[in-house]
Amino acid sequence: MPDQDPVSAFRALKGQRKIVCLTAYTAPMAAALDQHCDLLLVGDSLAMVVYGMDNTRDIDLDTMIRHGKAVMRRQENALVAIDLPAGSYEDSPQQALASARRVINETGAHGVKLEGGVAIQAHVEAITGAGIAVMGHIGLLPQHAESVRQFRITGKTDEEAAQLMRDCEALVKAGVFGIVMEGIVEPVASVVAAACQVPSIGIGASPNCDGQILVTEDMLGMFDAYIPKFVRKFATLQPDITAAAMAYNQAVIAGDFPEADHLYYPGGEKKT
Ligand code: KIV
């Protein structure tokens, strides 16, 4: 029997075990994460994490495609989805489909992710109708914020809770293969996740989601400009990188680096 396609395999994990997802923006990071993740997201959070921008709104489609290609060069195991950036899909279903087609054709990734629910149902339908896999994203929508100060946790009122449920249902109806649920209060996140017919992937949402995602640089302790409450640091690499830079600085200034072993010689290796 042929292997299941990656998107079907991802969907089939629902109810079997928790689903493991992380972001990846570069080839070396993809190589390090690929075997340990069910999904790698080339998230537009790279605008803030890699490019130092104040929000995720100013990254363009070409940049997302360039990073998507880098990740796909090291992909072997994980499903790879790429964010459609702000400005590349909201205008019309036709614009959304054209952007999704570019991403998939130019990177070879398995799917795209869009932010929004009811408001973009027709846009998602245009993409899934063309046979391209889509991941949804509801709750806190970073593309709607000018800066982290505008990031707003949702589900605090009955109306917000009802809207989240409507957003989830609209995306499922539009044919998404999974939904990221970001920044949603409990027990609303649990209730929406329980009703969700495709894998629900939490970030700052419920442990009862079908899986979890974090920004890799957050969980590695490499990005300290903004640390959301929902992050657990599984490593603290920023101080390690700083310590390595200090050691390098001292070695170069002291003339301890490079050593003979690091040099090239006309006749091959130097005999010591
Ligand atoms: O852009 C991103 O990295 C994301 C995740 C935080 C889910 O959308």
Side-chain angles (χ1 to χ4, degrees):
M1 205 171 81
D3 280 342
Q4 252 182 339
D5 71 89
V7 174
S8 304
F10 181 88
R11 285 191 65 148
L13 291 173
K14 184 174 171 68
Q16 298 302 308
R17 64 159 168 78
K18 292 287 186 185
I19 302 172
V20 183
C21 314
L22 282 171
T23 59
Y25 316 129
T26 65
M29 195 61 91
L33 305 177
D34 176 73
Q35 297 299 320
H36 309 288
C37 291
D38 300 306
L39 178 139
L40 291 178
L41 173 69
V42 184
D44 59 2
S45 51
L46 70 81
M48 299 168 73
V49 176
V50 174
Y51 291 98
M53 296 173 174
D54 288 336
N55 57 48
T56 64
R57 294 159 63 97
D58 295 330
I59 208 78
D60 59 21
L61 194 59
D62 287 340
T63 306
M64 294 306 299
I65 289 173
R66 203 172 309 116
H67 284 272
K69 281 182 184 167
V71 167
M72 286 307 289
R73 288 190 188 106
R74 294 294 177 273
Q75 180 279 339
E76 285 181 359
N77 164 67
L79 180 74
V80 174
I82 301 180
D83 267 339
L84 290 191
S88 74
Y89 65 91
E90 306 91 325
D91 284 356
S92 65
Q94 293 75 13
Q95 184 204 25
L97 176 57
S99 297
R101 278 206 166 112
R102 267 202 67 195
V103 168
I104 299 303
N105 292 342
E106 294 181 34
T107 66
H110 307 104
V112 295
K113 177 166 82 59
L114 284 68
E115 290 186 10
V118 174
I120 59 158
Q121 181 176 348
H123 306 60
V124 174
E125 274 164 358
I127 304 173
T128 56
I132 296 174
V134 176
M135 185 168 212
H137 184 151
I138 63 173
L140 191 166
L141 305 180
Q143 289 180 1
H144 292 231
E146 289 294 340
S147 77
V148 293
R149 284 185 298 281
Q150 291 178 0
F151 282 3
R152 229 176 50 78
I153 303 305
T154 62
K156 291 182 180 171
T157 65
D158 290 350
E159 176 43 35
E160 282 179 359
Q163 184 60 48
L164 285 163
M165 194 61 96
R166 285 194 291 272
D167 286 338
C168 179
E169 285 165 3
L171 291 174
V172 171
K173 206 162 157 223
V176 298
F177 70 84
I179 300 181
V180 169
M181 293 179 35
E182 178 165 4
I184 301 175
V185 297
E186 280 290 52
V188 174
S190 277
V191 172
V192 178
C196 189
Q197 286 162 36
V198 297
S200 56
I201 307 298
I203 173 164
S206 174
N208 296 323
C209 286
D210 296 303
Q212 297 293 323
I213 186 164
L214 284 176
V215 169
T216 297
E217 282 73 1
D218 283 346
M219 74 96 182
L220 292 179
M222 287 175 72
F223 179 68
D224 285 343
Y226 163 66
I227 308 166
K229 171 186 164 79
F230 56 71
V231 170
R232 180 194 291 179
K233 288 188 182 177
F234 288 82
T236 46
L237 297 192
Q238 185 93 28
D240 288 350
I241 294 169
T242 303
M246 280 168 62
Y248 173 69
N249 171 295
Q250 284 163 12
V252 170
I253 288 174
D256 288 345
F257 177 84
E259 296 168 273
D261 283 354
H262 300 124
L263 307 181
Y264 297 98
Y265 301 95
E269 293 305 297
K270 186 177 176 225
K271 302 271 181 293
T272 50

